[in-house]
Amino acid sequence: MKLQRMNRRAIALGALAASGALVLTACGSDNTSSGSSSGGSSASATTQAGSIKCDNAKGQLLSDGSSAQKNAIDAWVAQFSKACGVQINYKAGGSGAGVTSFTQGQLAFAGSDSALKPEEVTASKKVCSGGQGIDLPMVGGPIAVGYNLSGVSNLVLDAPTLAKIFDSKIQYWDDAAIKKLNPSAKLPHLKIQAFHRSDESGTTDNFTKYLKAAAPSDWTYSGGKAWQAKGGQAAAQSSGVAAQVKQTNGSIGYFELSYVTDGVNAVSINTGASAPVAPSSDSASKAIADAKVTGVGQDLSLKLNYNTKADGAYPITLVTYEIVCDKGNKSDTLPATKAFLRYIASQDGQNLLSGLKYAPIPAEINAKVRTTIEGLS
């Protein structure tokens, strides 16, 4: 018994020492050496997510972009940093901010819910020596239309009605179009408070692509990362829109499913299928599986079918891309960038997504992502 107590004490002290070393590394200590077990010198490390290949990853990575993937990035960083001791600072300032900072050479990689535009690819060539920025699809998921309306918990809407709500053409919850889609609901004569993003956002881009594809006569705007419709109220990032909806009765907004929490319900979409479709990892995966790779060369940008009518397929989906140089990455950040991207594209990394209300990237597409990551230079 005495020997067992001594062993348990030794184990506890060892764990405490290891924890302290990890904290020092995560704080970005200048004294981190390549020989430190938490600094990434080991070929691999076992974590709760499985085996992560660190491949001499070390130092810090600065990244910015899509707030849609923030909850996924947070979970990935926790596992990767635990294994490799690399500090990753992901700002989640929005897709527009991420792409801009990347093309200015400020980031190791960026996150965007929209693929790079031709002019953005051109700009990236200035910082990707001998190469260019490419899109790697990494996170899939539904864009939920979240609402807060007392007494109504199973709201159904369709694309034309959503387009009119977000363009201020339908202003009250008991409008005839909403009542027709929800004949048994007790809809109040309450003004609709519609919230949209104030910052440039890939979530906005994908949401309006859906409206444009499924309700072209009601949504006549050109689309893009910046909100264009009339009226409504603005909030920064997905978290800001979700927070406003949660605290405002009679409100509606769009954000990723992971932001649907107590006090916020998600709209089911009438797509013309046999039944309205609620947002979920499974229903988003059914829609994303129909996507086509349209990128050229190492770029793996996708074309989504926003107007799907397949049973069980949720049409308002997005794919978040990690944007990185195919060639010309900075030598001091390349090992850590490749190691992190390799992990999040792995089976272990993708397996975390469903539990966070995201959708894993379909296997066929993800296989191409993994091959491309290994070729980054």
Side-chain angles (χ1 to χ4, degrees):
M1 292 298 291
K2 183 175 180 181
L3 180 60
Q4 289 175 345
R5 285 195 297 270
M6 292 176 64
N7 287 339
R8 285 196 295 267
R9 184 180 180 187
I11 292 170
L13 289 172
L16 181 60
S19 175
L22 181 60
V23 170
L24 289 174
T25 302
C27 291
S29 170
D30 293 335
N31 296 323
T32 301
S33 68
S34 60
S36 168
S37 62
S38 63
S41 64
S42 60
S44 65
T46 300
T47 71
Q48 294 175 2
S51 182
I52 296 176
K53 283 185 68 177
C54 297
D55 280 354
N56 296 314
K58 59 183 178 180
Q60 303 179 25
L61 294 181
L62 180 61
S63 186
D64 192 7
S66 165
S67 64
Q69 68 168 352
K70 182 181 185 303
N71 293 335
I73 289 287
D74 286 349
W76 283 331
V77 167
Q79 294 296 324
F80 183 77
S81 295
K82 181 179 179 181
C84 302
V86 175
Q87 181 181 359
I88 301 178
N89 181 3
Y90 185 76
K91 293 183 179 180
S95 297
V99 171
T100 298
S101 294
F102 177 79
T103 57
Q104 292 175 348
Q106 299 173 7
L107 308 175
F109 67 94
S112 177
D113 308 321
S114 300
L116 291 168
K117 296 178 180 178
E119 61 269 26
E120 293 168 340
V121 173
T122 299
S124 73
K125 293 180 180 180
K126 297 178 181 179
V127 298
C128 300
S129 180
Q132 66 180 49
I134 57 173
D135 303 284
L136 301 178
M138 206 68 75
V139 183
I143 300 174
V145 180
Y147 70 98
N148 178 353
L149 187 59
S150 295
V152 180
S153 58
N154 294 295
L155 189 70
V156 175
L157 296 174
D158 57 14
T161 306
L162 280 169
K164 292 171 185 174
I165 288 173
F166 281 93
D167 198 22
S168 301
K169 294 175 182 176
I170 291 179
Q171 298 190 6
Y172 288 89
W173 282 108
D174 60 350
D175 186 273
I178 302 177
K179 291 174 70 173
K180 184 177 180 180
L181 290 163
N182 300 273
S184 61
K186 295 181 179 179
L187 297 165
H189 184 67
L190 178 66
K191 190 172 180 62
I192 298 173
Q193 306 289 331
F195 286 91
H196 58 265
R197 290 281 290 271
S198 60
D199 52 320
E200 288 200 354
S201 161
T203 310
T204 293
D205 189 19
N206 284 274
F207 179 60
T208 56
K209 280 179 179 177
Y210 158 71
L211 296 177
K212 189 174 181 180
S217 61
D218 295 296
W219 194 262
T220 58
Y221 301 98
S222 60
K225 293 177 184 177
W227 185 258
Q228 298 173 326
K230 302 172 184 177
Q233 302 178 60
Q237 304 171 4
S238 291
S239 57
V241 175
Q244 290 296 323
V245 171
K246 185 172 183 177
Q247 68 186 25
T248 308
N249 185 38
S251 60
I252 191 169
Y254 58 91
F255 35 78
E256 292 67 45
L257 184 60
S258 57
Y259 290 97
V260 174
T261 57
D262 292 343
V264 178
N265 291 304
V267 171
S268 291
I269 304 298
N270 183 339
T271 64
S274 61
V277 185
S280 70
S281 294
D282 289 342
S283 62
S285 291
K286 288 182 180 179
I288 295 172
D290 193 35
K292 307 298 181 185
V293 176
T294 58
V296 178
Q298 298 300 305
D299 186 84
L300 296 174
S301 54
L302 304 175
K303 182 178 181 180
L304 301 172
N305 180 9
Y306 297 98
N307 201 23
T308 180
K309 293 178 174 56
D311 284 348
Y314 184 79
I316 319 176
T317 58
L318 62 74
V319 168
T320 298
Y321 302 94
E322 310 313 329
I323 296 171
V324 67
C325 296
D326 57 354
K327 299 177 182 178
N329 290 279
K330 295 179 180 178
S331 59
D332 58 337
T333 59
L334 178 60
T337 299
K338 286 184 70 170
F340 181 64
L341 294 178
R342 181 187 296 119
Y343 162 56
I344 67 179
S346 71
Q347 191 66 51
D348 287 332
Q350 290 291 298
N351 282 346
L352 287 180
L353 293 177
S354 295
L356 298 170
K357 299 183 179 179
Y358 294 103
I361 298 300
E364 182 178 351
I365 298 173
N366 193 40
K368 297 177 181 179
V369 172
R370 295 179 188 178
T371 299
T372 301
I373 290 170
E374 296 307 320
L376 298 179
S377 62

